[in-house]
Amino acid sequence: MTFWALLILILLLAALVAYLGDRVAKWAGKRHYRLFGLRPRQTATLVAVLTGVGIALFSYLGFLLVFREAREVILEAQAIRAERDQLRRERQVLLEAKTAMEAEASRTLAELNVLREERKDLSRALEQANQVRKRLEEEAKALASQVQALGRERATLEAERQALSQLLEERNRALSERTRELKALESRLRALQQAAERAEGEKARLLAERKRLQEEVLGALARLEEARRQRQALAEEVEALKASLGKAREELRQTEERVRNLLVQAEVLQGERGQLAQSLVRLSQGLYLGEVRLGAEEGREALERVADRRALLQGFRGVELLDAPQGPGLAVLEGAGYREGRLLVRVRFYPERKAFAAGEVLAARTFRLSTQARNQEALEGLGEAVRQRLLQAGYAPEYAIFPSPEELARGLALLQGKRGVVRVGVVAAKELWITERPLLSFQLLGGPPGPEVPVPTRQIP
């Protein structure tokens, strides 16, 4: 089995353990089982842990049943180690036998060399004896021719010849014995060489067998080491799963705490929502959305379009018009309530008509000039009379505003350098229509005194 296949198997096993543990824990938690007096949550955790342990155990047994090599390596590791030690001892004995046989062969070769040297010496002695025999035979022939002359020396020479013959026979016997010994040594040497060759063959066979056994032992050790690494990885994975389980428990506790806090916050927000809805209803009452000038053919659609755009800018979802007048005229939009996220809009309608002609005096007042504060007070009072006149004429309150700070400043500037009693009026600068903002200004007027100043006034150029 390859490393990647084993890795994929371990990953699938881990995923299966996690999935089944989660499903079993949820199943036990939903049924509120209680084991050993534990609470349902703790019982669900115990059931998930026992499920993971059972799945891991069955997976390990299935792994041993399916993968025969791994089972043999794990179950026969002790026998393999014993066999490896026995092979190492046999290898040591064979090495010692080889050393002894090599020493014996060296000694035998040394003896063989010595015997070969002795054989050479004997061969040289035999050659010398043959030479001596040939020479003696020649001398014997010479002496035979002189036998008559040397009769008296014949016995002596005969005795010497016999002695030499005896010596030669002894030498021949010794040479024969030496030759037989040499042949025995050569046969023994051949036997030793054959034994050495057989020992070399046996040595080669034992070396091949040792190499094969070493490879098998290395393979077994590698498989054993792989099994140990897998066991270590599984142990680390179990520790990681335990840590993850503890972390998940802590996160679950924190999540429950956050859920409780969120429920409390939801209740608070619900109350605040009710208060905000009430505040929104109060704020929507009288909310000013501006005015719209309607043409002769314009009505609800134009008002809804403008009101919806301005309500969206205020944060509402839309508007609902309570009434929809038809133009021409000025429509003032203001809030009238709040319903389901939509702003209720009331429309104040002012029909288009001319209120004052150009140059018409809307209000006038005669007073004696004094300090700037009193002069400003008199002008503001005149402005209040103008506002009342505009409201009576039918102007919208948003348009019936006079004087503005700029007009007030221009009126005070108009009184600069003047003395005595003056008559000041507010004059229309152009024709005033209900649907337009009035264009008014302060002007000095001549004429008789008014009810404010009961003395004659001089003519104002």
Side-chain angles (χ1 to χ4, degrees), residues 353-364 386 389-390 393 395 402 424-433 438-443 445:
R353 63 184 178 84
K354 186 172 73 173
F356 302 98
E360 184 177 351
V361 178
L362 274 69
V386 171
R389 182 78 183 276
L390 290 174
Y395 269 91
F402 187 84
V424 180
V426 179
V427 182
K430 65 174 186 176
E431 290 182 349
L432 300 184
W433 292 78
L439 184 58
L440 306 171
S441 62
F442 288 105
Q443 290 187 12
L445 303 176

Side-chain angles (χ1 to χ4, degrees), residues 310-334:
R310 294 178 181 177
L312 290 176
L313 293 176
Q314 295 292 333
F316 295 95
R317 296 180 181 176
V319 297
E320 182 178 347
L321 294 179
L322 298 179
D323 47 3
Q326 188 74 21
L330 178 67
V332 180
L333 306 176
E334 59 182 10

Side-chain angles (χ1 to χ4, degrees), residues 80-208:
I80 291 173
R81 284 195 295 270
E83 185 178 357
R84 181 195 61 191
D85 296 337
Q86 181 65 26
L87 290 174
R88 286 179 178 176
R89 288 192 295 271
E90 291 179 358
R91 175 177 174 271
Q92 187 66 30
V93 172
L94 290 174
L95 289 176
E96 293 176 356
K98 174 189 172 185
T99 304
M101 291 177 68
E102 289 178 351
E104 182 67 21
S106 300
R107 186 170 61 254
T108 304
L109 289 174
E111 292 178 357
L112 180 61
N113 292 329
V114 172
L115 291 175
R116 285 176 178 174
E117 292 293 333
E118 291 180 356
R119 181 182 178 183
K120 290 179 181 179
D121 294 339
L122 291 174
S123 298
R124 286 193 296 270
L126 183 59
E127 290 177 357
Q128 292 176 0
N130 288 330
Q131 292 176 0
V132 170
R133 187 183 62 183
K134 290 178 180 179
R135 188 173 62 254
L136 289 174
E137 288 177 354
E138 291 177 355
E139 290 178 357
K141 290 178 180 180
L143 290 173
S145 63
Q146 297 175 5
V147 68
Q148 293 176 359
L150 297 174
R152 290 176 301 191
E153 294 179 2
R154 179 179 180 180
T156 304
L157 291 174
E158 187 67 25
E160 289 181 358
R161 186 180 66 81
Q162 291 178 357
L164 287 174
S165 298
Q166 188 178 0
L167 179 60
L168 182 59
E169 290 176 358
E170 292 178 357
R171 289 290 182 91
N172 288 330
R173 285 195 300 270
L175 182 61
S176 299
E177 291 177 0
R178 291 284 183 170
T179 303
R180 286 193 298 271
E181 291 178 358
L182 182 60
K183 289 180 179 180
L185 288 175
E186 287 179 352
S187 61
R188 185 180 178 184
L189 179 59
R190 284 193 297 271
L192 289 174
Q193 287 178 350
Q194 293 175 359
E197 290 176 357
R198 288 194 300 272
E200 288 293 332
E202 185 67 19
K203 175 184 175 183
R205 187 184 65 79
L206 290 175
L207 288 175

Side-chain angles (χ1 to χ4, degrees), residues 31-50:
R31 283 158 178 75
H32 300 283
Y33 289 142
R34 292 177 177 269
L35 295 177
F36 309 111
L38 299 175
R39 292 186 298 175
R41 184 183 302 169
Q42 296 174 347
T43 302
T45 303
L46 179 60
V47 170
V49 172
L50 293 177

Side-chain angles (χ1 to χ4, degrees), residues 58-70:
F58 282 116
S59 301
Y60 181 70
L61 294 177
F63 175 78
L64 291 180
L65 291 175
V66 172
F67 300 104
R68 182 175 58 83
E69 296 180 357

